[in-house]
Amino acid sequence: MHTNMISITDLIYSFEASPKAPVFSGISMNVIQGEFISIVGASGCGKSTLFKIIAGLLPHSGGEIRIHGQLSGEPSSRLGQVAYMPQQDLLPWRTVLDNCLLPWELKQIGSKAEAATQIREMLARFGLAGTEAAYPAELSGGMRQRVALLRTLAAGNELLLLDEPFGALDAITKRELHRWLLSLWSSLEKTVLFITHDLEEALLLSDRIYLMSGGAGGGLQELAVDLPRPRHYKMNYEPQFVALREDLERRLHESRMV
């Protein structure tokens, strides 16, 4: 039985200073529990703003948000219900362990010692054993992103919002983290919303892709990614993958022409 994790209907967001010029409007989507959904679109169309609204960091100007079927009107009602990994990196003045303990510091469920033990176990699972006393500057880019994702998972939420988590990485590191994330996601039973500008990344990781257009005439176009799992990079050269990429590129180009 499919369960809706989050449902969004005709969502609108406008800056208070210019309510007649929305950043986006007509945003509607349904995300099923356990799905991996990517959101792509031109810079400035409001993808990160959408995530901040879902996370409860910004109020929406119109429309409706439901989480687990429950209507969520005020931003405060969504705070703590989703795990949000923004584009910003780890706090440089805190060690890996202290960065990962941030969710516990906000919720303080259980003891700090129990939380630290769980973090150490997750670090080992993420291939990061022995790094708990290191500072972010001492880690490679790929290691920092693993730690940032671990911190997001440590919040204990079923829905993860990942805003371009691999955008600053080189191609080889990004491919390694794709393989790692695909194997990890299949065992975590989490629902993921994922922002990216990398179309191959979106196709490789996702069950569905939403193409977002900003402004008053925007909205979302949906593209189903009917590729078998498990996924691997050899798929990039297969006819079905190439056709999906061409379709996505065409839609993205057309959305910029509107």
Side-chain angles (χ1 to χ4, degrees), residues 160-204:
L160 310 181
L161 308 180
L162 309 181
D163 190 347
E164 291 195 79
F166 308 139
L169 301 176
D170 63 85
I172 294 175
T173 304
K174 185 183 287 190
R175 285 196 174 197
E176 291 173 353
L177 287 184
H178 287 165
R179 287 193 291 268
W180 171 76
L181 180 58
L182 283 169
S183 63
L184 182 69
W185 171 71
S186 64
S187 64
L188 286 176
E189 298 182 349
K190 299 289 186 181
T191 306
V192 177
L193 281 174
F194 185 95
I195 291 175
T196 181
H197 284 97
D198 186 329
L199 302 188
E200 288 190 357
E201 179 175 73
L203 289 167
L204 183 69

Side-chain angles (χ1 to χ4, degrees), residues 50-119:
L50 174 62
F51 271 21
K52 290 175 183 176
I53 291 171
I54 294 172
L57 301 176
L58 284 176
H60 50 292
S61 307
E64 186 177 278
I65 300 174
R66 291 181 180 272
I67 298 179
H68 293 299
Q70 299 297 313
L71 183 64
S72 177
E74 293 299 318
S76 58
S77 68
R78 296 188 294 280
L79 285 173
Q81 290 201 54
V82 302
Y84 175 39
M85 180 178 166
Q87 294 178 26
Q88 290 79 12
D89 210 333
L90 302 168
L91 299 178
W93 60 89
R94 299 187 65 142
T95 65
V96 166
L97 180 61
D98 287 339
N99 263 287
C100 293
L101 282 170
L102 277 172
W104 178 85
E105 292 174 12
L106 294 173
K107 295 183 177 182
Q108 297 203 10
I109 298 174
S111 71
K112 185 175 183 179
E114 290 171 340
T117 297
Q118 183 181 23
I119 293 299

